[in-house]
Amino acid sequence: MAKSKGVRIIVTLECTECRTNPDKRSPGVSRYTSTKNRRNTTNRLELKKFCTHCNKHTVHKEIK
């Protein structure tokens, strides 16, 4: 018998300011991984994390 997928999934969070700002201090995009419960939070996750490329705390959104 095959097991069903678990409730908790791993998601990738990406900095929103690095993606939209072309003249930043260094090339690249800050990314973090986190887990979320797919039953409780069905929409995309948004967290404030530290971005090493922007050198400040910014909003990181879940990407596909």
Side-chain angles (χ1 to χ4, degrees):
M1 286 236 186
K3 286 189 172 184
S4 65
K5 289 188 176 180
V7 176
R8 297 197 71 79
I9 57 171
I10 297 173
V11 295
T12 305
L13 304 171
E14 187 177 77
C15 179
T16 55
E17 290 189 24
C18 285
R19 208 172 13 172
T20 57
N21 190 4
D23 47 310
K24 55 189 172 219
R25 73 179 183 99
S26 68
V29 177
S30 173
R31 289 189 175 162
Y32 286 94
T33 57
S34 182
T35 59
K36 78 170 189 177
N37 189 327
R38 84 173 72 176
R39 286 188 193 145
N40 294 339
T41 54
T42 55
N43 52 356
R44 292 192 181 245
L45 194 61
E46 288 184 10
L47 294 174
K48 266 192 126 172
K49 304 286 269 178
F50 183 77
C51 177
T52 55
H53 301 287
C54 299
N55 205 22
K56 59 183 176 180
H57 283 85
T58 59
V59 175
H60 284 63
K61 289 186 181 181
E62 177 183 342
I63 59 172
K64 189 112 181 161

PDB file of all heavy atoms in Angstrom, residues 11-39:
ATOM      1  N   VAL A  11       8.504  24.539   2.117  1.00  0.00           N
ATOM      2  CA  VAL A  11       8.308  25.628   1.169  1.00  0.00           C
ATOM      3  C   VAL A  11       9.570  26.471   1.096  1.00  0.00           C
ATOM      4  O   VAL A  11      10.377  26.486   2.023  1.00  0.00           O
ATOM      5  CB  VAL A  11       7.104  26.512   1.558  1.00  0.00           C
ATOM      6  CG1 VAL A  11       5.814  25.736   1.478  1.00  0.00           C
ATOM      7  CG2 VAL A  11       7.275  27.092   2.938  1.00  0.00           C
ATOM      8  N   THR A  12       9.752  27.195  -0.011  1.00  0.00           N
ATOM      9  CA  THR A  12      10.887  28.085  -0.203  1.00  0.00           C
ATOM     10  C   THR A  12      10.391  29.515  -0.143  1.00  0.00           C
ATOM     11  O   THR A  12       9.417  29.873  -0.806  1.00  0.00           O
ATOM     12  CB  THR A  12      11.549  27.821  -1.568  1.00  0.00           C
ATOM     13  OG1 THR A  12      11.893  26.444  -1.646  1.00  0.00           O
ATOM     14  CG2 THR A  12      12.803  28.657  -1.732  1.00  0.00           C
ATOM     15  N   LEU A  13      11.067  30.336   0.681  1.00  0.00           N
ATOM     16  CA  LEU A  13      10.727  31.746   0.818  1.00  0.00           C
ATOM     17  C   LEU A  13      11.782  32.574   0.102  1.00  0.00           C
ATOM     18  O   LEU A  13      12.973  32.355   0.276  1.00  0.00           O
ATOM     19  CB  LEU A  13      10.674  32.137   2.297  1.00  0.00           C
ATOM     20  CG  LEU A  13       9.741  31.322   3.169  1.00  0.00           C
ATOM     21  CD1 LEU A  13       9.962  31.676   4.630  1.00  0.00           C
ATOM     22  CD2 LEU A  13       8.309  31.560   2.791  1.00  0.00           C
ATOM     23  N   GLU A  14      11.329  33.560  -0.706  1.00  0.00           N
ATOM     24  CA  GLU A  14      12.239  34.392  -1.494  1.00  0.00           C
ATOM     25  C   GLU A  14      11.996  35.857  -1.184  1.00  0.00           C
ATOM     26  O   GLU A  14      10.860  36.296  -1.029  1.00  0.00           O
ATOM     27  CB  GLU A  14      12.002  34.124  -2.980  1.00  0.00           C
ATOM     28  CG  GLU A  14      12.993  34.809  -3.880  1.00  0.00           C
ATOM     29  CD  GLU A  14      12.766  34.456  -5.324  1.00  0.00           C
ATOM     30  OE1 GLU A  14      11.818  34.994  -5.931  1.00  0.00           O
ATOM     31  OE2 GLU A  14      13.528  33.629  -5.847  1.00  0.00           O
ATOM     32  N   CYS A  15      13.085  36.637  -1.121  1.00  0.00           N
ATOM     33  CA  CYS A  15      13.009  38.066  -0.817  1.00  0.00           C
ATOM     34  C   CYS A  15      12.268  38.796  -1.933  1.00  0.00           C
ATOM     35  O   CYS A  15      12.552  38.603  -3.115  1.00  0.00           O
ATOM     36  CB  CYS A  15      14.413  38.642  -0.650  1.00  0.00           C
ATOM     37  SG  CYS A  15      14.423  40.413  -0.303  1.00  0.00           S
ATOM     38  N   THR A  16      11.334  39.669  -1.572  1.00  0.00           N
ATOM     39  CA  THR A  16      10.558  40.399  -2.572  1.00  0.00           C
ATOM     40  C   THR A  16      11.309  41.616  -3.091  1.00  0.00           C
ATOM     41  O   THR A  16      11.137  42.007  -4.235  1.00  0.00           O
ATOM     42  CB  THR A  16       9.215  40.852  -1.986  1.00  0.00           C
ATOM     43  OG1 THR A  16       9.461  41.612  -0.810  1.00  0.00           O
ATOM     44  CG2 THR A  16       8.354  39.668  -1.642  1.00  0.00           C
ATOM     45  N   GLU A  17      12.164  42.221  -2.274  1.00  0.00           N
ATOM     46  CA  GLU A  17      12.887  43.420  -2.704  1.00  0.00           C
ATOM     47  C   GLU A  17      14.045  43.078  -3.629  1.00  0.00           C
ATOM     48  O   GLU A  17      14.360  43.839  -4.544  1.00  0.00           O
ATOM     49  CB  GLU A  17      13.378  44.206  -1.494  1.00  0.00           C
ATOM     50  CG  GLU A  17      12.248  44.848  -0.734  1.00  0.00           C
ATOM     51  CD  GLU A  17      12.739  45.802   0.338  1.00  0.00           C
ATOM     52  OE1 GLU A  17      13.867  46.304   0.221  1.00  0.00           O
ATOM     53  OE2 GLU A  17      11.979  46.035   1.285  1.00  0.00           O
ATOM     54  N   CYS A  18      14.724  41.964  -3.428  1.00  0.00           N
ATOM     55  CA  CYS A  18      15.819  41.554  -4.314  1.00  0.00           C
ATOM     56  C   CYS A  18      15.302  41.254  -5.714  1.00  0.00           C
ATOM     57  O   CYS A  18      15.985  41.502  -6.700  1.00  0.00           O
ATOM     58  CB  CYS A  18      16.507  40.308  -3.780  1.00  0.00           C
ATOM     59  SG  CYS A  18      17.583  40.592  -2.386  1.00  0.00           S
ATOM     60  N   ARG A  19      14.117  40.706  -5.783  1.00  0.00           N
ATOM     61  CA  ARG A  19      13.555  40.323  -7.075  1.00  0.00           C
ATOM     62  C   ARG A  19      13.167  41.540  -7.904  1.00  0.00           C
ATOM     63  O   ARG A  19      13.298  41.538  -9.122  1.00  0.00           O
ATOM     64  CB  ARG A  19      12.318  39.461  -6.824  1.00  0.00           C
ATOM     65  CG  ARG A  19      12.017  38.495  -7.896  1.00  0.00           C
ATOM     66  CD  ARG A  19      10.937  37.534  -7.556  1.00  0.00           C
ATOM     67  NE  ARG A  19      10.177  37.884  -6.374  1.00  0.00           N
ATOM     68  CZ  ARG A  19       9.096  37.274  -5.970  1.00  0.00           C
ATOM     69  NH1 ARG A  19       8.655  36.270  -6.650  1.00  0.00           N
ATOM     70  NH2 ARG A  19       8.467  37.626  -4.886  1.00  0.00           N
ATOM     71  N   THR A  20      12.696  42.620  -7.240  1.00  0.00           N
ATOM     72  CA  THR A  20      12.168  43.766  -7.975  1.00  0.00           C
ATOM     73  C   THR A  20      13.173  44.904  -8.132  1.00  0.00           C
ATOM     74  O   THR A  20      13.005  45.740  -9.005  1.00  0.00           O
ATOM     75  CB  THR A  20      10.924  44.326  -7.265  1.00  0.00           C
ATOM     76  OG1 THR A  20      11.278  44.681  -5.915  1.00  0.00           O
ATOM     77  CG2 THR A  20       9.814  43.297  -7.225  1.00  0.00           C
ATOM     78  N   ASN A  21      14.226  44.969  -7.311  1.00  0.00           N
ATOM     79  CA  ASN A  21      15.178  46.080  -7.343  1.00  0.00           C
ATOM     80  C   ASN A  21      16.387  45.729  -8.217  1.00  0.00           C
ATOM     81  O   ASN A  21      17.197  44.891  -7.840  1.00  0.00           O
ATOM     82  CB  ASN A  21      15.633  46.407  -5.917  1.00  0.00           C
ATOM     83  CG  ASN A  21      16.423  47.686  -5.841  1.00  0.00           C
ATOM     84  OD1 ASN A  21      16.580  48.387  -6.826  1.00  0.00           O
ATOM     85  ND2 ASN A  21      16.920  47.987  -4.674  1.00  0.00           N
ATOM     86  N   PRO A  22      16.554  46.386  -9.375  1.00  0.00           N
ATOM     87  CA  PRO A  22      17.684  46.033 -10.245  1.00  0.00           C
ATOM     88  C   PRO A  22      19.026  46.570  -9.749  1.00  0.00           C
ATOM     89  O   PRO A  22      20.065  45.976 -10.001  1.00  0.00           O
ATOM     90  CB  PRO A  22      17.309  46.662 -11.589  1.00  0.00           C
ATOM     91  CG  PRO A  22      16.387  47.765 -11.236  1.00  0.00           C
ATOM     92  CD  PRO A  22      15.672  47.350  -9.985  1.00  0.00           C
ATOM     93  N   ASP A  23      19.051  47.719  -9.041  1.00  0.00           N
ATOM     94  CA  ASP A  23      20.319  48.286  -8.563  1.00  0.00           C
ATOM     95  C   ASP A  23      20.493  48.048  -7.072  1.00  0.00           C
ATOM     96  O   ASP A  23      20.391  48.946  -6.258  1.00  0.00           O
ATOM     97  CB  ASP A  23      20.411  49.774  -8.902  1.00  0.00           C
ATOM     98  CG  ASP A  23      19.143  50.522  -8.552  1.00  0.00           C
ATOM     99  OD1 ASP A  23      18.072  50.055  -8.949  1.00  0.00           O
ATOM    100  OD2 ASP A  23      19.226  51.581  -7.889  1.00  0.00           O
ATOM    101  N   LYS A  24      20.762  46.779  -6.718  1.00  0.00           N
ATOM    102  CA  LYS A  24      21.026  46.419  -5.329  1.00  0.00           C
ATOM    103  C   LYS A  24      22.522  46.287  -5.106  1.00  0.00           C
ATOM    104  O   LYS A  24      23.302  46.365  -6.044  1.00  0.00           O
ATOM    105  CB  LYS A  24      20.293  45.127  -4.966  1.00  0.00           C
ATOM    106  CG  LYS A  24      20.609  43.992  -5.878  1.00  0.00           C
ATOM    107  CD  LYS A  24      19.708  42.827  -5.617  1.00  0.00           C
ATOM    108  CE  LYS A  24      19.952  41.815  -6.703  1.00  0.00           C
ATOM    109  NZ  LYS A  24      18.815  41.166  -7.180  1.00  0.00           N
ATOM    110  N   ARG A  25      22.933  46.063  -3.858  1.00  0.00           N
ATOM    111  CA  ARG A  25      24.368  46.101  -3.564  1.00  0.00           C
ATOM    112  C   ARG A  25      25.126  44.871  -4.042  1.00  0.00           C
ATOM    113  O   ARG A  25      26.308  44.934  -4.286  1.00  0.00           O
ATOM    114  CB  ARG A  25      24.607  46.346  -2.079  1.00  0.00           C
ATOM    115  CG  ARG A  25      24.311  45.177  -1.177  1.00  0.00           C
ATOM    116  CD  ARG A  25      24.617  45.531   0.269  1.00  0.00           C
ATOM    117  NE  ARG A  25      24.392  44.395   1.121  1.00  0.00           N
ATOM    118  CZ  ARG A  25      25.348  43.596   1.549  1.00  0.00           C
ATOM    119  NH1 ARG A  25      26.579  43.801   1.221  1.00  0.00           N
ATOM    120  NH2 ARG A  25      25.058  42.586   2.322  1.00  0.00           N
ATOM    121  N   SER A  26      24.471  43.730  -4.201  1.00  0.00           N
ATOM    122  CA  SER A  26      25.146  42.539  -4.711  1.00  0.00           C
ATOM    123  C   SER A  26      24.155  41.703  -5.521  1.00  0.00           C
ATOM    124  O   SER A  26      22.959  41.713  -5.255  1.00  0.00           O
ATOM    125  CB  SER A  26      25.709  41.707  -3.559  1.00  0.00           C
ATOM    126  OG  SER A  26      24.672  41.155  -2.807  1.00  0.00           O
ATOM    127  N   PRO A  27      24.644  40.985  -6.528  1.00  0.00           N
ATOM    128  CA  PRO A  27      23.732  40.160  -7.322  1.00  0.00           C
ATOM    129  C   PRO A  27      23.276  38.939  -6.533  1.00  0.00           C
ATOM    130  O   PRO A  27      23.989  38.414  -5.695  1.00  0.00           O
ATOM    131  CB  PRO A  27      24.583  39.733  -8.517  1.00  0.00           C
ATOM    132  CG  PRO A  27      25.978  39.802  -8.025  1.00  0.00           C
ATOM    133  CD  PRO A  27      26.018  40.910  -7.010  1.00  0.00           C
ATOM    134  N   GLY A  28      22.082  38.494  -6.809  1.00  0.00           N
ATOM    135  CA  GLY A  28      21.550  37.308  -6.138  1.00  0.00           C
ATOM    136  C   GLY A  28      20.252  37.598  -5.424  1.00  0.00           C
ATOM    137  O   GLY A  28      19.850  38.748  -5.272  1.00  0.00           O
ATOM    138  N   VAL A  29      19.593  36.537  -4.995  1.00  0.00           N
ATOM    139  CA  VAL A  29      18.316  36.636  -4.300  1.00  0.00           C
ATOM    140  C   VAL A  29      18.405  35.807  -3.035  1.00  0.00           C
ATOM    141  O   VAL A  29      18.893  34.686  -3.055  1.00  0.00           O
ATOM    142  CB  VAL A  29      17.159  36.129  -5.193  1.00  0.00           C
ATOM    143  CG1 VAL A  29      15.843  36.173  -4.455  1.00  0.00           C
ATOM    144  CG2 VAL A  29      17.078  36.941  -6.462  1.00  0.00           C
ATOM    145  N   SER A  30      17.933  36.360  -1.918  1.00  0.00           N
ATOM    146  CA  SER A  30      17.953  35.657  -0.644  1.00  0.00           C
ATOM    147  C   SER A  30      16.805  34.649  -0.596  1.00  0.00           C
ATOM    148  O   SER A  30      15.664  34.992  -0.911  1.00  0.00           O
ATOM    149  CB  SER A  30      17.804  36.662   0.492  1.00  0.00           C
ATOM    150  OG  SER A  30      17.652  36.000   1.718  1.00  0.00           O
ATOM    151  N   ARG A  31      17.117  33.407  -0.220  1.00  0.00           N
ATOM    152  CA  ARG A  31      16.097  32.366  -0.118  1.00  0.00           C
ATOM    153  C   ARG A  31      16.253  31.604   1.187  1.00  0.00           C
ATOM    154  O   ARG A  31      17.359  31.346   1.636  1.00  0.00           O
ATOM    155  CB  ARG A  31      16.201  31.390  -1.282  1.00  0.00           C
ATOM    156  CG  ARG A  31      15.754  31.996  -2.579  1.00  0.00           C
ATOM    157  CD  ARG A  31      15.650  30.971  -3.650  1.00  0.00           C
ATOM    158  NE  ARG A  31      15.106  31.584  -4.858  1.00  0.00           N
ATOM    159  CZ  ARG A  31      15.204  31.062  -6.049  1.00  0.00           C
ATOM    160  NH1 ARG A  31      15.818  29.913  -6.212  1.00  0.00           N
ATOM    161  NH2 ARG A  31      14.685  31.669  -7.084  1.00  0.00           N
ATOM    162  N   TYR A  32      15.128  31.270   1.794  1.00  0.00           N
ATOM    163  CA  TYR A  32      15.065  30.452   3.008  1.00  0.00           C
ATOM    164  C   TYR A  32      14.130  29.292   2.752  1.00  0.00           C
ATOM    165  O   TYR A  32      13.252  29.372   1.890  1.00  0.00           O
ATOM    166  CB  TYR A  32      14.512  31.258   4.188  1.00  0.00           C
ATOM    167  CG  TYR A  32      15.444  32.272   4.783  1.00  0.00           C
ATOM    168  CD1 TYR A  32      15.413  33.597   4.366  1.00  0.00           C
ATOM    169  CD2 TYR A  32      16.338  31.911   5.771  1.00  0.00           C
ATOM    170  CE1 TYR A  32      16.267  34.532   4.928  1.00  0.00           C
ATOM    171  CE2 TYR A  32      17.191  32.836   6.337  1.00  0.00           C
ATOM    172  CZ  TYR A  32      17.145  34.154   5.913  1.00  0.00           C
ATOM    173  OH  TYR A  32      17.997  35.069   6.465  1.00  0.00           O
ATOM    174  N   THR A  33      14.279  28.211   3.516  1.00  0.00           N
ATOM    175  CA  THR A  33      13.323  27.111   3.475  1.00  0.00           C
ATOM    176  C   THR A  33      12.635  27.020   4.830  1.00  0.00           C
ATOM    177  O   THR A  33      13.237  27.295   5.865  1.00  0.00           O
ATOM    178  CB  THR A  33      13.991  25.760   3.150  1.00  0.00           C
ATOM    179  OG1 THR A  33      15.000  25.514   4.113  1.00  0.00           O
ATOM    180  CG2 THR A  33      14.575  25.770   1.762  1.00  0.00           C
ATOM    181  N   SER A  34      11.377  26.643   4.807  1.00  0.00           N
ATOM    182  CA  SER A  34      10.588  26.517   6.022  1.00  0.00           C
ATOM    183  C   SER A  34       9.532  25.449   5.777  1.00  0.00           C
ATOM    184  O   SER A  34       9.368  24.966   4.657  1.00  0.00           O
ATOM    185  CB  SER A  34       9.932  27.860   6.353  1.00  0.00           C
ATOM    186  OG  SER A  34       9.202  27.750   7.547  1.00  0.00           O
ATOM    187  N   THR A  35       8.833  25.083   6.834  1.00  0.00           N
ATOM    188  CA  THR A  35       7.743  24.125   6.685  1.00  0.00           C
ATOM    189  C   THR A  35       6.430  24.796   7.056  1.00  0.00           C
ATOM    190  O   THR A  35       6.407  25.738   7.844  1.00  0.00           O
ATOM    191  CB  THR A  35       7.939  22.894   7.601  1.00  0.00           C
ATOM    192  OG1 THR A  35       8.004  23.330   8.954  1.00  0.00           O
ATOM    193  CG2 THR A  35       9.189  22.142   7.231  1.00  0.00           C
ATOM    194  N   LYS A  36       5.359  24.306   6.451  1.00  0.00           N
ATOM    195  CA  LYS A  36       4.032  24.813   6.801  1.00  0.00           C
ATOM    196  C   LYS A  36       3.039  23.670   6.784  1.00  0.00           C
ATOM    197  O   LYS A  36       3.247  22.653   6.109  1.00  0.00           O
ATOM    198  CB  LYS A  36       3.609  25.932   5.856  1.00  0.00           C
ATOM    199  CG  LYS A  36       3.125  25.489   4.506  1.00  0.00           C
ATOM    200  CD  LYS A  36       2.517  26.655   3.754  1.00  0.00           C
ATOM    201  CE  LYS A  36       1.832  26.153   2.498  1.00  0.00           C
ATOM    202  NZ  LYS A  36       1.171  27.226   1.776  1.00  0.00           N
ATOM    203  N   ASN A  37       1.977  23.837   7.543  1.00  0.00           N
ATOM    204  CA  ASN A  37       0.899  22.869   7.592  1.00  0.00           C
ATOM    205  C   ASN A  37      -0.081  23.208   6.479  1.00  0.00           C
ATOM    206  O   ASN A  37      -0.668  24.282   6.470  1.00  0.00           O
ATOM    207  CB  ASN A  37       0.215  22.943   8.956  1.00  0.00           C
ATOM    208  CG  ASN A  37      -0.763  21.822   9.177  1.00  0.00           C
ATOM    209  OD1 ASN A  37      -1.401  21.347   8.239  1.00  0.00           O
ATOM    210  ND2 ASN A  37      -0.901  21.397  10.416  1.00  0.00           N
ATOM    211  N   ARG A  38      -0.238  22.301   5.509  1.00  0.00           N
ATOM    212  CA  ARG A  38      -1.058  22.622   4.344  1.00  0.00           C
ATOM    213  C   ARG A  38      -2.549  22.677   4.658  1.00  0.00           C
ATOM    214  O   ARG A  38      -3.308  23.287   3.922  1.00  0.00           O
ATOM    215  CB  ARG A  38      -0.763  21.677   3.201  1.00  0.00           C
ATOM    216  CG  ARG A  38      -1.490  20.384   3.234  1.00  0.00           C
ATOM    217  CD  ARG A  38      -1.276  19.601   1.996  1.00  0.00           C
ATOM    218  NE  ARG A  38       0.075  19.084   1.969  1.00  0.00           N
ATOM    219  CZ  ARG A  38       0.555  18.287   1.041  1.00  0.00           C
ATOM    220  NH1 ARG A  38      -0.187  17.927   0.050  1.00  0.00           N
ATOM    221  NH2 ARG A  38       1.771  17.840   1.095  1.00  0.00           N
ATOM    222  N   ARG A  39      -2.974  22.073   5.752  1.00  0.00           N
ATOM    223  CA  ARG A  39      -4.395  22.142   6.123  1.00  0.00           C
ATOM    224  C   ARG A  39      -4.745  23.471   6.786  1.00  0.00           C
ATOM    225  O   ARG A  39      -5.816  24.023   6.555  1.00  0.00           O
ATOM    226  CB  ARG A  39      -4.743  21.012   7.080  1.00  0.00           C
ATOM    227  CG  ARG A  39      -4.813  19.672   6.404  1.00  0.00           C
ATOM    228  CD  ARG A  39      -5.353  18.602   7.326  1.00  0.00           C
ATOM    229  NE  ARG A  39      -5.133  17.290   6.764  1.00  0.00           N
ATOM    230  CZ  ARG A  39      -4.863  16.222   7.462  1.00  0.00           C
ATOM    231  NH1 ARG A  39      -4.763  16.299   8.779  1.00  0.00           N
ATOM    232  NH2 ARG A  39      -4.674  15.072   6.872  1.00  0.00           N
TER     233      ARG A  39
END
